Amino acid sequence: LEPTGNRTSLYPSMRWIRQGSAWFVNAHAGISAWQYDLNIPTPGVPDGRAGVGVPVASLDAGLIFERDTSIFGTNFIQTLEPRALYTYIPYRNQNQLPVFDTVQDDFNFTQLFSENRFIGGDRMGDTNQLALAVTSRFLDPSTGSERFRLAVGQRFYFEDQKVNLGGTPQLAGSSDFLVGAEGRLADAWALIGLAQYDFGTSQFDRFNIG
């Protein structure tokens, strides 16, 4: 029987943001806390009440370079945008807590720069990690619209991760290597691709095109 009840969540946090025309720095610190009041007792929560508080800290920074370029006689503004996100979330035991609506997120460029690897309010994943990526975009100089984008990125883990939802915990080391591209063929048509390469096995774990 799946547990039912109420979950109360709080996430007090603060940010320090500075940015210029070609750079940004975003420092974040907070505490993710949630409390359950369950209708029936569960293993590890005999009285139906349980909760946890997890500190979260991150530092996100990036640069933006631009230059004028020409490809096959067409003028573009090309950007080069390196970005780095360091995240530290200490381990807090959450095994006794129920799971109402939480799953582990898919590994992609959006998740690469997310602090928490879970979607939902029942888990905050412990981590000590650094995400790095470089994006290059080709912009129409007359409208500023993006015509093509190429991005590469990878994550580096400095400690083994412990919080998981039935999967294999991530060990210290590096993630798969991500390569993504998007080209706008016309106003209503675009071609998008994403590749995930595992250097450990020397093979692609995933390749999507749309």
Side-chain angles (χ1 to χ4, degrees):
L1 183 64
E2 295 294 331
T4 62
N6 297 317
R7 182 186 67 205
T8 303
S9 301
L10 295 174
Y11 197 177
S13 62
M14 57 183 178
R15 290 188 181 273
W16 182 82
I17 301 174
R18 292 292 183 272
Q19 63 182 22
S21 60
W23 60 275
F24 70 90
V25 177
N26 185 345
H28 171 244
I31 297 178
S32 178
W34 61 103
Q35 172 79 36
Y36 296 92
D37 292 300
L38 303 178
N39 296 326
I40 57 174
T42 62
V45 191
D47 61 354
R49 293 179 58 86
V52 69
V54 184
V56 178
S58 67
L59 179 63
D60 190 6
L63 299 170
I64 304 172
F65 303 99
E66 291 185 356
R67 70 166 186 168
D68 295 326
T69 188
S70 177
I71 300 177
F72 300 116
T74 302
N75 295 324
F76 294 98
I77 297 174
Q78 183 187 7
T79 72
L80 184 66
E81 306 171 34
R83 182 182 178 186
L85 171 65
Y86 173 75
T87 305
Y88 179 72
I89 303 175
Y91 171 71
R92 296 292 185 269
N93 187 3
Q94 301 163 48
N95 293 334
Q96 77 281 8
L97 303 179
V99 178
F100 284 175
D101 58 6
T102 301
V103 295
Q104 184 157 334
D105 197 2
D106 188 27
F107 185 57
N108 50 47
F109 277 100
T110 300
Q111 211 287 318
L112 184 67
F113 288 99
S114 298
E115 294 172 331
N116 190 13
R117 61 183 176 272
F118 298 104
I119 300 175
D122 303 298
R123 293 293 185 274
M124 177 62 73
D126 61 307
T127 196
N128 182 6
Q129 67 186 32
L130 175 66
L132 299 175
V134 178
T135 302
S136 182
R137 298 186 296 152
F138 290 82
L139 309 177
D140 187 326
S142 60
T143 64
S145 61
E146 181 181 285
R147 309 304 296 183
F148 180 77
R149 180 198 314 167
L150 176 66
V152 296
Q154 193 171 22
R155 184 182 285 161
F156 300 90
Y157 306 96
F158 304 116
E159 298 177 2
D160 296 346
Q161 296 178 349
K162 300 177 182 177
V163 179
N164 70 89
L165 286 176
T168 302
Q170 174 67 51
L171 302 180
S174 59
S175 72
D176 290 346
F177 191 75
L178 292 176
V179 180
E182 178 176 352
R184 186 154 295 280
L185 307 178
D187 290 340
W189 294 94
L191 186 65
I192 303 172
L194 175 67
Q196 182 176 329
Y197 186 79
D198 186 344
F199 282 105
T201 60
S202 299
Q203 66 181 12
F204 285 97
D205 285 349
R206 181 177 55 174
F207 181 80
N208 297 333
I209 191 168

